[in-house]
Structure formats: structure tokens, C-alpha cells
Amino acid sequence: MTSPAVTDDTIAIQVRDLSFRWYKGDTVLDACSLEVPKGEFWMLLGTNGSGKSTLLRLLAGLLQPQSGYIKPLPKFGFVFQNPDHQLVMPTVGADVAFGLAEENLTSVQIRQRVQEALDAVNLLPLIRRPIYALSGGQKQRVAIAGAIARHCEVLLFDEPTALLDPDSQLELVSQVQRLVKDRGLTALWVTHRLDELEYCDGAFLLAGGKVVDRGDPQRLRQRLMGG
């Protein structure tokens, strides 16, 4: 790993010159760098195979880079493309509480955290609903509630709307936009849907293993639409 970048407390997510390749495989990331300011909602764009999901997994510590610097994240939550891969308990309330098992909390404190988190994603009336009875969008919101209950400061989203219908897609992204603003969270959201850019503060374009453009989401949208 290279030397750490200069510490900046206004930056929540920072990578510098990050490189990653699969064993005996092609290079996925090549000297990739980006920064996400605290309290902002940024999106990561790129074609299939451009390394978007790999970058998110490197940030989460699920993979290790060959070289480069990753600023240690504060407490974070990771929301997968398919919520069935991370919801493990039979009911909504039980699943949100599951992530609190290792924290030194009383049963009253756990109940308060769960209720607060579900209220934040507009699912409190469904606290006793079986997970199997939820829609895809509701399941993704349960996953987000789990991160809120744990008081995560950073949210990482790996194409969370890929399996959702258009209405559920926009409902979820607008919900995350509101949570970022209301709670001072930081979010990095991987997507290939250009209409979602309406909701973020900024965006990165990943190509050839690097961030080749960044900044105003509408300008990037126009670039990708050929405008």
C-alpha cells in the first residue's frame, strides 16, 4: 500500500491510486482515485465490468488491493443488489435488531433503535411483517434500516435498484437522498440508471480502471447520453 493521503476531516470516503487485479486475471482497477465529502450522496457510474462493484468491496474490506490507499471508513453499512443475500431473520423487526447483537445494549435500547430506524425508512407499521411478504423495495429499506440502527455514518450501495420496478427504484433512491440530508450520512451508490442521477450531489464515471470524470451529475448524464 502507498503512503496515506493527507488527512481531511471533511472527506468521508477517500481512495488514492488504488489498483486491483484478480489472481491470474485482468486488471480491474488501475491507479483509481476518488473522494466523497462527508454528508453527501454520490453515485458511481460505468459500464458492466468497469470495476464499480469491485471498488465498493475494496472500500468495505471484502477485498484487498494490490496497491494504493483507502482511508479507513467510519462505521458503515453495505446494501447488496439482492436484499435476500443479507436479510437473515424471519421478520422485519428481528432482522433490524440482528445487527445490534454484538453491541452492549439493553432490550429497551434495542427496541428503541429498531423502531427509530424503521420509522426513518417509513416501515415502522411493518415491524412484525414476515420478510418473505415484503416487496423488493421494502426489503432494501429493511437493509438500510439495519445500518441506521447500528448508527452507521457511511452507506455503500451496490446497484440496489437493479432488481426493482421503476416506481420502487425511484422511491428507494429518493429515500436515501432524504436520509443523507436529514441525518448527515454519506452515501456512495453504484448504478447504471441515469435517471437516478437526479437525486445525488455528485457522480464519478469509471472506465479503464480509473475515474475518468467526476462532478455535476447532470453534466455526466448529458455526456453519457451523447448530449
Side-chain angles (χ1 to χ4, degrees), residues 140-197:
Q140 290 291 38
R141 285 154 61 192
V142 172
I144 295 169
I148 293 172
R150 292 188 295 112
H151 290 176
C152 292
E153 300 175 43
V154 171
L155 301 177
L156 304 175
F157 295 89
D158 188 10
E159 295 198 60
T161 60
L163 304 179
L164 304 183
D165 61 74
D167 288 342
S168 297
Q169 165 206 343
L170 295 181
E171 181 182 9
L172 184 66
V173 68
S174 64
Q175 184 99 60
V176 171
Q177 180 193 47
R178 182 178 63 80
L179 289 170
V180 168
K181 298 306 178 188
D182 291 352
R183 293 176 168 267
L185 304 177
T186 305
L188 182 59
W189 174 291
V190 170
T191 187
H192 64 276
R193 292 177 164 171
L194 299 185
D195 52 349
E196 294 178 356
L197 290 169

Side-chain angles (χ1 to χ4, degrees), residues 5-6 11-16 34-36 59 69-71:
V6 176
I11 301 300
I13 300 172
Q14 182 184 58
V15 301
R16 283 283 178 265
L34 61 77
E35 293 180 345
V36 179
L59 285 169
Y69 168 73
I70 302 175
K71 180 180 179 178

Side-chain angles (χ1 to χ4, degrees), residues 122-140:
N122 298 325
L123 288 181
L124 184 55
L126 304 185
I127 190 169
R128 294 182 176 83
R129 182 73 58 87
I131 293 294
Y132 71 80
L134 301 178
S135 68
Q138 289 170 334
K139 289 179 180 179
Q140 290 291 38

Side-chain angles (χ1 to χ4, degrees), residues 33-222:
S33 299
L34 61 77
E35 293 180 345
V36 179
K38 282 185 177 179
E40 294 192 7
F41 182 13
W42 280 63
M43 293 188 176
L44 183 60
L45 308 166
T47 59
N48 289 337
S50 62
K52 304 185 300 297
S53 294
T54 299
L55 177 55
L56 221 63
R57 282 163 170 72
L58 287 162
L59 285 169
L62 302 177
L63 297 171
Q64 295 299 316
Q66 275 75 41
S67 61
Y69 168 73
I70 302 175
K71 180 180 179 178
L73 292 181
K75 185 178 284 190
F76 68 91
F78 195 111
V79 179
F80 292 84
Q81 182 181 112
N82 187 341
D84 290 333
H85 293 165
Q86 66 185 115
L87 303 183
V88 297
M89 299 300 285
T91 67
V92 168
D95 199 90
V96 176
F98 180 77
L100 300 174
E102 295 183 359
E103 300 194 25
N104 187 24
L105 300 172
T106 67
S107 59
V108 172
Q109 290 172 321
I110 291 174
R111 184 164 59 251
Q112 290 175 337
R113 290 257 201 119
V114 169
Q115 291 175 345
E116 178 193 44
L118 288 173
D119 188 51
V121 297
N122 298 325
L123 288 181
L124 184 55
L126 304 185
I127 190 169
R128 294 182 176 83
R129 182 73 58 87
I131 293 294
Y132 71 80
L134 301 178
S135 68
Q138 289 170 334
K139 289 179 180 179
Q140 290 291 38
R141 285 154 61 192
V142 172
I144 295 169
I148 293 172
R150 292 188 295 112
H151 290 176
C152 292
E153 300 175 43
V154 171
L155 301 177
L156 304 175
F157 295 89
D158 188 10
E159 295 198 60
T161 60
L163 304 179
L164 304 183
D165 61 74
D167 288 342
S168 297
Q169 165 206 343
L170 295 181
E171 181 182 9
L172 184 66
V173 68
S174 64
Q175 184 99 60
V176 171
Q177 180 193 47
R178 182 178 63 80
L179 289 170
V180 168
K181 298 306 178 188
D182 291 352
R183 293 176 168 267
L185 304 177
T186 305
L188 182 59
W189 174 291
V190 170
T191 187
H192 64 276
R193 292 177 164 171
L194 299 185
D195 52 349
E196 294 178 356
L197 290 169
E198 296 284 345
Y199 297 87
C200 65
D201 297 302
F204 304 101
L205 177 60
L206 192 62
K210 302 177 185 290
V211 173
V212 296
D213 202 349
R214 72 193 73 204
D216 180 68
Q218 297 313 311
R219 180 182 61 78
L220 265 67
R221 180 177 181 176
Q222 291 176 354

